Amino acid sequence: MKNDHIKEVFIGVKERAGKIRLKQCVRNIVLLHPVLLTAFIIVFLFFLALIICWISVEIGLDKRMNLRESVHYLYTQWDIATGLSLLVGYLGMGATVVLGLIALRFSFKTEERKRIEELQKINIKSIKLYDMYEGVVPSEMRYDDIKECRFLLKIEFSEKNSSYEYQIDRVWWGACGEDYSNSEPKVLNHCKVYVENAALVTLYVYFNEFEGGVAKDKDRENGISFFYHIGEYEPLLIKRNKRHRWMQLDMYMREKVWTGKKRQEGFMAKLEILVENRNRKAQKQEWIELHEISHNIKINNTNEMR
């Protein structure tokens, strides 16, 4: 009995996942390819009308005919009034479908603008980088499974009346190229992320150094430890872009408030932050204050729900 119940639940989850993927596909096509979608539907409706006429000719003559014979019969036997009525009906159906697509796209665009307005409220209050091996900070060791993690990245968001809560999927760390581009980002090793979705949203990202990060000079310079201790090197010998790093947060954002029986809406977003280590660590300070240079956010509207 229990196995049957588990099987039914699994089938239900699979069916819901299929519906979600279908909705994602429709949203993606409507938002990104409206002209191609409209042209495809018009052509599809034309062939559908042609097939219906083909079937009606076979029924009227009570014999099977191929498509070429049916088209020839329609061209030679149907009068102008019948053809015009068919054409008007086809155009009316096509216009209805096109108007429906316009309304659907407007709905998606409205929802997109709402999400953009919410994400524009995100302001980064502070970014702190801790080396937990060099200076143990008990107050920041808030969770039981982070004892093997060396570094802590603490990010505080200052926002006003956000309608969404955050869930972090992955965190990327990238070196800064000479043109300040995001150079070869890597996923942080053994990364554990915790989010406090309070009025002041706080992210705790516990992680380790990259594997093999000290094997080569280039890898060493792109490592976490080198960046943390960059102030101990001769500043004049280090290029300015070496003091910068890119961080990327792959976030799933979910509504905080929704109607009781309604499905809770969510979407994926990527937050990229360019930071600089200016080496202004006080004597008794247990962290490095990273200064935000810029940040940008990319929304993926087609990923809705997990």
Side-chain angles (χ1 to χ4, degrees):
M1 193 73 176
K2 184 178 180 181
N3 291 335
D4 293 340
H5 176 69
I6 294 174
K7 186 176 181 181
E8 289 176 1
V9 171
F10 176 76
I11 293 174
V13 171
K14 191 174 181 180
E15 290 177 351
R16 285 195 296 272
K19 292 178 181 179
I20 292 169
R21 283 194 294 269
L22 178 60
K23 183 179 179 181
Q24 293 171 357
C25 182
V26 171
R27 178 189 291 271
N28 195 17
I29 294 174
V30 170
L31 285 174
L32 302 179
H33 309 287
V35 177
L36 291 178
L37 178 60
T38 302
F40 171 79
I41 290 178
I42 291 175
V43 172
F44 173 77
L45 291 176
F46 173 78
F47 281 103
L48 180 62
L50 185 61
I51 292 173
I52 293 174
C53 292
W54 179 10
I55 296 174
S56 64
V57 169
E58 288 187 342
I59 294 175
L61 298 179
D62 195 19
K63 67 174 184 178
R64 297 190 61 82
M65 303 174 66
N66 58 38
L67 181 59
R68 183 177 181 181
E69 292 173 342
S70 298
V71 172
H72 181 265
Y73 176 83
L74 293 174
Y75 181 75
T76 57
Q77 300 298 323
W78 278 22
D79 55 21
I80 296 178
T82 305
L84 287 176
S85 63
L86 177 64
L87 179 62
V88 170
Y90 168 74
L91 292 176
M93 181 171 58
T96 302
V97 173
V98 171
L99 288 175
L101 284 176
I102 293 174
L104 183 61
R105 191 168 190 272
F106 177 77
S107 174
F108 287 157
K109 280 291 185 181
T110 302
E111 185 177 344
E112 186 181 65
R113 283 194 294 270
K114 177 185 175 184
R115 291 173 176 175
I116 291 174
E117 289 175 359
E118 289 293 333
L119 290 175
Q120 284 177 338
K121 298 177 183 178
I122 294 179
N123 293 311
I124 300 173
K125 183 179 179 182
S126 68
I127 305 175
K128 297 177 181 178
L129 179 62
Y130 295 80
D131 188 335
M132 307 295 281
Y133 286 1
E134 181 176 291
V136 179
V137 188
S139 61
E140 300 298 343
M141 300 180 70
R142 298 170 178 266
Y143 304 94
D144 296 332
D145 59 345
I146 51 88
K147 295 178 181 178
E148 301 300 323
C149 297
R150 174 175 178 178
F151 296 102
L152 165 61
L153 190 64
K154 183 179 179 181
I155 305 175
E156 293 182 340
F157 291 156
S158 166
E159 54 178 303
K160 298 179 181 179
N161 302 323
S162 175
S163 302
Y164 297 98
E165 63 180 19
Y166 302 87
Q167 182 178 336
I168 308 301
D169 272 0
R170 287 185 296 182
V171 181
W172 301 74
W173 182 278
C176 183
E178 294 185 1
D179 58 349
Y180 291 89
S181 60
N182 193 352
S183 177
E184 299 180 357
K186 298 179 181 179
V187 178
L188 293 180
N189 283 341
H190 308 291
C191 185
K192 301 179 186 297
V193 184
Y194 298 91
V195 184
E196 294 180 356
N197 285 291
L200 177 65
V201 178
T202 306
L203 272 61
Y204 295 90
V205 183
Y206 300 90
F207 58 99
N208 285 326
E209 180 64 86
F210 295 117
E211 296 179 0
V214 296
K216 300 179 181 178
D217 290 341
K218 182 180 179 181
D219 292 334
R220 181 178 63 84
E221 291 183 359
N222 293 336
I224 313 295
S225 182
F226 178 87
F227 180 68
Y228 184 89
H229 295 282
I230 200 169
E232 300 173 9
Y233 299 88
E234 178 57 47
L236 296 178
L237 299 179
I238 299 176
K239 294 182 179 180
R240 182 173 176 80
N241 65 295
K242 295 295 183 181
R243 293 183 173 274
H244 294 73
R245 290 293 186 273
W246 281 99
M247 293 179 290
Q248 176 181 309
L249 306 176
D250 293 350
M251 307 185 300
Y252 178 71
M253 304 189 66
R254 186 171 52 188
E255 289 181 340
K256 289 182 179 178
V257 182
W258 68 99
T259 308
K261 294 185 178 181
K262 179 186 174 184
R263 182 171 61 87
Q264 189 178 10
E265 295 291 341
F267 62 96
M268 295 296 297
K270 294 182 180 181
L271 172 61
E272 288 186 335
I273 311 171
L274 178 61
V275 298
E276 180 183 3
N277 183 353
R278 296 181 178 175
N279 187 31
R280 295 180 181 175
K281 182 179 178 181
Q283 291 184 354
K284 296 183 178 181
Q285 188 171 295
E286 298 169 324
W287 66 86
I288 295 293
E289 185 79 28
L290 303 182
H291 295 264
E292 178 198 356
I293 304 300
S294 66
H295 78 262
N296 55 76
I297 304 175
K298 180 180 178 181
I299 303 174
N300 188 350
N301 277 312
T302 61
N303 286 332
E304 283 202 351
M305 294 297 293
R306 306 189 158 191

